[in-house]
Amino acid sequence: MLTATAPTLAEVARVAGVSIATASRVLNNSSRVSAEAYQRVCDAASSLGYRRHRAAWGQAQRKVNAFAAVIHAGHRLLFSEPFFARLIGAAELELAQHGIPLLVTTVSGPLVETVGRYLQGGHVSGIMIVSDHGPLPLAATLATLGTPVTVIGRPLRPQPVPYVDADNRGGARAAVEYLISTGRRSIAHLAAPPDTGVGADRLAGYRDAMQAIGATDAPVAYGDWSQASAAHAMQRLLDQRPHLDAVFAASDVMAAGAVRYLRKAGRRIPEDVAVVGFDDHALAEQIRPALTTVHQPVEQIGTVAARWLLAAVRGEQVEDGATVLPTELVLRDSA
């Protein structure tokens, strides 16, 4: 009987149409490759099922050192966006019950390569990547290690790792459909960065709802998740469309920025302009008027991701696909 052999680095390079050296640089998370070559190597590794130290994945008895949560964002966003604290807190609580510490780091720009190399050094037994994005995502490289990896948020490009996410597209669509049901028609979207799966999916949900009513005017202005960027985007939208009667923001923090500028511009909420956010953070109840928003189960996302990593390092059978958790529209006073 023939036994299938594990794919080699040379096979990955051949399928990708690159040299072995280039394939090695990609799989070691080096920035010295083009985005095109990077994607070809990642696709080849995924299609072949290539993993370095392949046998380590299923060793149920190996010692668990620690897990790492890698937040692919700058430290400013980590401390200004409540999502991260809620997510990491839930994952940490789940792991603490099993005596496993969770190491947390942020990465951006050139640090992506440095952190990637550290994680490849065998210091951790499982890796949770949060908000992975950009032309050189960490997930594609780290998936080749044999160390269990899961991603929080749908990757923009298919990756050979499982992910946990909320139904961002469906939640956004429900929010805009509600605004439409209340008679609003000139509805704008304060969008998140489009190079993230979350931002792209919430934008897609907004467009789904607007297209369903044949709306040809679906204005979009982008922010960077912060209140300040949302306030500036709201200013641009009002300058272009002074008769705007509703806005759907990609997050509660961005909705707060929109509310701040609308008040400055003398618009009543919701009488003149209705506002809906996304996340259902504590901030949503602190805003005045209280914010109508889409609830996503942030703590459940963190718990599910932690449990997946625990099962994987124990050698248990785990699903490698996507876990998408439902969202729910929460009605308050702003819409």
Side-chain angles (χ1 to χ4, degrees):
M1 182 175 65
L2 294 176
T3 301
T5 58
T8 65
L9 179 63
E11 289 176 288
V12 173
R14 178 181 56 78
V15 171
V18 300
S19 68
I20 293 177
T22 296
S24 178
R25 283 197 295 271
V26 170
L27 296 172
N28 281 288
N29 213 49
S30 172
S31 59
R32 294 180 297 161
V33 293
S34 68
E36 179 186 359
Y38 184 96
Q39 192 61 48
R40 290 210 309 269
V41 172
C42 290
D43 291 344
S46 176
S47 65
L48 292 170
Y50 174 81
R51 282 192 175 95
R52 285 177 290 157
H53 315 302
R54 192 180 181 88
W57 179 275
Q59 291 177 358
Q61 301 305 316
R62 66 179 177 171
K63 184 177 183 296
V64 179
N65 299 315
F67 287 170
V70 183
I71 301 173
H72 200 165
H75 68 278
R76 178 190 59 78
L77 187 59
L78 172 66
F79 293 109
S80 63
E81 173 51 63
F83 170 85
F84 295 114
R86 294 173 60 191
L87 177 82
I88 297 303
E92 188 175 49
L93 181 63
E94 180 67 25
L95 295 176
Q97 297 177 44
H98 303 273
I100 300 174
L102 182 64
L103 311 179
V104 182
T105 184
T106 62
V107 295
S108 60
L111 285 179
V112 171
E113 182 176 345
T114 302
V115 172
R117 287 178 175 171
Y118 173 81
L119 295 174
Q120 290 166 357
H123 304 289
V124 298
S125 302
I127 303 168
M128 180 188 307
I129 304 176
V130 186
S131 192
D132 204 16
H133 64 279
L136 304 178
L138 277 170
T141 298
L142 297 179
T144 69
L145 291 175
T147 301
V149 176
T150 190
V151 176
I152 304 299
R154 181 185 69 83
L156 275 179
R157 301 179 183 86
Q159 302 290 352
V161 293
Y163 69 87
V164 185
D165 202 1
D167 182 10
N168 291 294
R169 186 166 186 166
R173 183 171 58 248
V176 180
E177 286 174 346
Y178 172 75
L179 289 169
I180 293 168
S181 73
T182 62
R184 312 285 176 162
R185 286 298 180 270
S186 183
I187 305 170
H189 179 40
L190 289 179
D195 66 343
T196 63
V198 170
D201 287 348
R202 293 178 189 178
L203 173 59
Y206 162 76
R207 285 177 169 160
D208 288 344
M210 296 297 283
Q211 289 170 2
I213 62 169
T216 57
D217 182 25
V220 176
Y222 292 91
D224 64 3
W225 297 110
S226 69
Q227 283 198 39
S229 71
H232 291 147
M234 192 71 249
Q235 180 179 12
R236 295 195 302 273
L237 287 169
L238 279 185
D239 288 344
Q240 297 165 7
R241 292 169 175 80
H243 300 297
L244 198 70
D245 62 9
V247 59
F248 165 58
S251 74
D252 290 348
V253 172
M254 293 181 71
V259 167
R260 186 176 72 190
Y261 184 78
L262 287 168
R263 282 179 173 160
K264 180 179 177 181
R267 304 300 174 92
R268 298 170 302 164
I269 304 170
E271 293 85 355
D272 300 326
V273 181
V275 179
V276 177
F278 201 115
D279 288 323
D280 196 24
H281 293 318
L283 175 66
E285 294 188 88
Q286 296 167 3
I287 296 172
R288 290 293 176 266
L291 185 66
T292 292
T293 186
V294 178
H295 174 83
Q296 65 165 332
V298 179
E299 287 78 10
Q300 188 180 357
I301 291 171
T303 299
V304 168
R307 287 176 179 171
W308 189 95
L309 288 175
L310 282 167
V313 298
R314 290 168 175 167
E316 299 172 8
Q317 188 67 34
V318 292
E319 294 293 331
D320 279 345
T323 300
V324 180
L325 302 175
T327 55
E328 179 184 3
L329 183 65
V330 179
L331 300 179
R332 294 195 179 95
D333 302 328
S334 67

